[in-house]
Amino acid sequence: MKVPFVDLKLQYSGIKSEVRVAMDEVLDNTAYILGKPVANFESAFAEKHDVKFCSGVSSGTDGNHLVLWALGVGQGDEVIIPADTFIATAWGATLCGATPVFVDVDAESYNLDAKAVARAVTPKTKAIVAVHLYGQATDLEKINSELRILNYELKSQGVYVHKTTGQVIYLVEDCAQSHLAEYKGKKVGGLAAAASFSFYPGKNLGAYGEGGAVCTNDEELGKKFKMMREHGSHQKYLHLMYGHNYRMEGLQGAVLGVKLNHLEKWTAGRRQAAEWYGKYLGDCDGVVLPKEMKGNKHVYHLFVVRVKNENGKNRESLMKYLGEKDVASGLHYPVPLHLQPCFEHLGYKRGDLPVTEDLADNCLSLPMFPELTEEQVKYVCECVKEFFV
Ligand SMILES: *Cc1c(COP(=O)(O)O)cnc(C)c1O
């Protein structure tokens, strides 16, 4: 048996005719940028995530930037970011001219450690980016409690104001891996001041090219997103504010509109695959399985196990062994952000963020996609168990 890491061809074969009709419509109307398919997708996506305003953008990376830029993050500001994430989370801050402040993650959820966040807050902190890593929501209430202890008061959704100094801190979400994930019964994407999503082809909801979205429940901010993604303009050749070309393409809006109708089913497929992993790998002593935290609905963008690294059986040798058995696997993320060469000037060193570093050294992502069959998962698990005997 051969088990790929993801199988986008298989997914496409199931929706080919629908997608082709939607793409043809865009081509017939020559509506290549924004337009009706994008607008329709934006409202449907917002509705599915129980959030009021959604703007389609050119990528998740651009969404990460737009969210912080529109909130006024700039030079001299600090943005708190988990060190265990994809680099794009940090570009949001650096493109604004702000300094990313990397903090450690929680050893069970792999998301921001609220106490570490509290320790990193300074009078320069302007934003905190909660990445819902691998498809599981960050415990935002814990961060909320920590900010309150530090004398920051919740003024409106995700907006904290210091009681004496008036300093404002925005809590925002990076939902690039967590479409339809839930936190205490609520969908991610509308839980903080603003959120960004990615529609990179391999994400839980993937375009056929680049794509992303930014969401908020704040009307003013929602309007700002629409203007800033289009050169700071709502009327051609009149520019009310700084902006950029962060528009979503019509073809991507059309594809995403079709695919959104399948997302619940695909999410259920991922959760089913995760359940099978639990069933067939739960008794394997060599690895720690991902844990769905209480109150969360995990959407398993990735299925990441932590190799215990005992008796000389480490992550690298497991990866090699699986490869020989035709089981694909991946690393997310082998070099944590605080140890990336591009951030060397910030002065972090190995040992600063021990949980993140341990995960970077010992995590392995097993195949995960909605169409995985029980036989495939069983085979993967048998191979993993074989390796450890
Ligand atoms: C994929 C991803 C991004 C970037 O999205 P793109 O659409 O590829 O630009 C940002 N943050 C996280 C956590 C991601 O996984």
Side-chain angles (χ1 to χ4, degrees):
M1 195 182 299
K2 198 175 168 127
V3 189
F5 192 65
V6 290
D7 194 341
L8 295 182
K9 269 192 190 163
L10 185 59
Q11 192 190 65
Y12 178 56
S13 69
I15 55 171
K16 188 167 178 171
S17 52
E18 280 179 273
V19 168
R20 296 300 284 262
V21 168
M23 290 182 95
D24 267 339
E25 203 175 302
V26 174
L27 297 176
D28 289 338
N29 295 328
T30 65
Y32 303 125
I33 292 166
L34 295 177
K36 222 168 130 195
V38 172
N40 289 345
F41 168 69
E42 288 169 344
S43 20
F45 190 77
E47 202 182 308
K48 284 240 192 284
H49 286 86
D50 297 320
V51 62
K52 287 189 186 141
F53 307 97
C54 170
S55 298
V57 295
S58 35
S59 73
T61 307
D62 295 338
N64 284 155
H65 177 222
L66 184 53
V67 160
L68 295 180
W69 197 18
L71 287 170
V73 173
Q75 222 164 29
D77 293 332
E78 293 174 355
V79 179
I80 295 175
I81 290 167
D84 189 6
T85 178
F86 181 57
I87 189 87
T89 308
W91 297 150
T94 58
L95 283 167
C96 289
T99 305
V101 174
F102 300 116
V103 303
D104 216 346
V105 295
D106 174 77
E108 278 197 310
S109 68
Y110 308 155
N111 282 323
L112 270 180
D113 173 347
K115 292 252 186 272
V117 170
R119 285 193 297 272
V121 168
T122 76
K124 290 181 175 173
T125 306
K126 188 72 177 264
I128 299 165
V129 186
V131 180
H132 306 317
L133 199 71
Y134 307 147
Q136 167 149 259
T138 305
D139 194 340
L140 298 177
E141 277 177 19
K142 267 195 190 156
I143 296 175
N144 175 69
S145 316
E146 292 296 331
L147 289 173
R148 280 165 188 265
I149 292 168
L150 292 174
N151 232 7
Y152 292 89
E153 210 171 25
L154 188 63
K155 202 186 98 206
S156 56
Q157 197 177 30
V159 183
Y160 292 85
V161 180
H162 194 274
K163 278 189 191 157
T164 54
T165 66
Q167 178 198 357
V168 176
I169 298 181
Y170 298 103
L171 178 61
V172 305
E173 301 171 81
D174 180 338
C175 303
Q177 308 186 356
S178 60
H179 318 71
L180 295 188
E182 289 177 24
Y183 176 70
K184 298 192 195 273
K186 288 185 181 152
K187 295 274 177 4
V188 301
L191 302 176
S196 54
F197 285 86
S198 164
F199 305 124
Y200 178 78
K203 295 286 161 76
N204 288 29
L205 179 62
Y208 290 170
E210 304 278 1
V214 290
C215 298
T216 181
N217 284 312
D218 181 307
E219 188 170 4
E220 280 308 302
L221 189 60
K223 283 185 188 158
K224 226 170 155 185
F225 285 156
K226 285 229 153 52
M227 275 198 254
M228 291 180 83
R229 77 165 170 192
E230 188 157 32
H231 305 292
S233 165
H234 67 323
Q235 182 187 329
K236 212 166 187 183
Y237 304 127
L238 184 67
H239 308 280
L240 302 184
M241 57 186 76
Y242 282 10
H244 198 63
N245 177 0
Y246 279 164
R247 293 176 298 222
M248 178 180 273
E249 292 184 352
L251 282 170
Q252 304 311 336
V255 169
L256 289 165
V258 168
K259 291 186 73 176
L260 185 61
N261 295 323
H262 298 270
L263 189 57
E264 271 109 352
K265 176 185 70 197
W266 288 332
T267 303
R270 288 175 184 275
R271 289 179 55 78
Q272 174 66 75
E275 207 181 301
W276 287 326
Y277 272 118
K279 179 173 161 191
Y280 296 113
L281 210 50
D283 58 348
C284 176
D285 285 336
V287 294
V288 181
L289 300 186
K291 183 172 173 193
E292 184 172 58
M293 306 301 284
K294 200 164 168 278
N296 274 7
K297 184 180 171 187
H298 199 316
V299 297
Y300 297 99
H301 168 56
L302 295 167
F303 193 85
V304 181
V305 301
R306 187 167 64 76
V307 179
K308 286 185 184 164
N309 197 4
E310 292 163 352
N311 312 316
K313 305 231 169 186
N314 64 16
R315 187 256 313 266
E316 272 64 32
S317 45
L318 173 59
M319 194 175 192
K320 187 161 168 276
Y321 184 82
L322 292 177
E324 284 160 7
K325 299 275 174 186
D326 274 335
V327 172
S329 58
L331 300 182
H332 303 88
Y333 295 91
V335 183
L337 297 195
H338 69 294
L339 300 178
Q340 290 289 349
C342 64
F343 293 126
E344 204 184 314
H345 61 283
L346 296 175
Y348 294 93
K349 56 187 187 313
R350 187 161 263 280
D352 285 347
L353 306 176
V355 179
T356 297
E357 290 166 26
D358 176 65
L359 294 171
D361 292 342
N362 297 306
C363 274
L364 187 68
S365 308
L366 300 179
M368 174 50 82
F369 51 93
E371 300 82 4
L372 266 176
T373 65
E374 185 166 6
E375 284 62 43
Q376 285 175 309
V377 175
K378 200 171 167 204
Y379 175 69
V380 174
C381 297
E382 278 163 4
C383 294
V384 171
K385 284 196 270 194
E386 259 168 42
F387 170 79
F388 284 106
V389 290

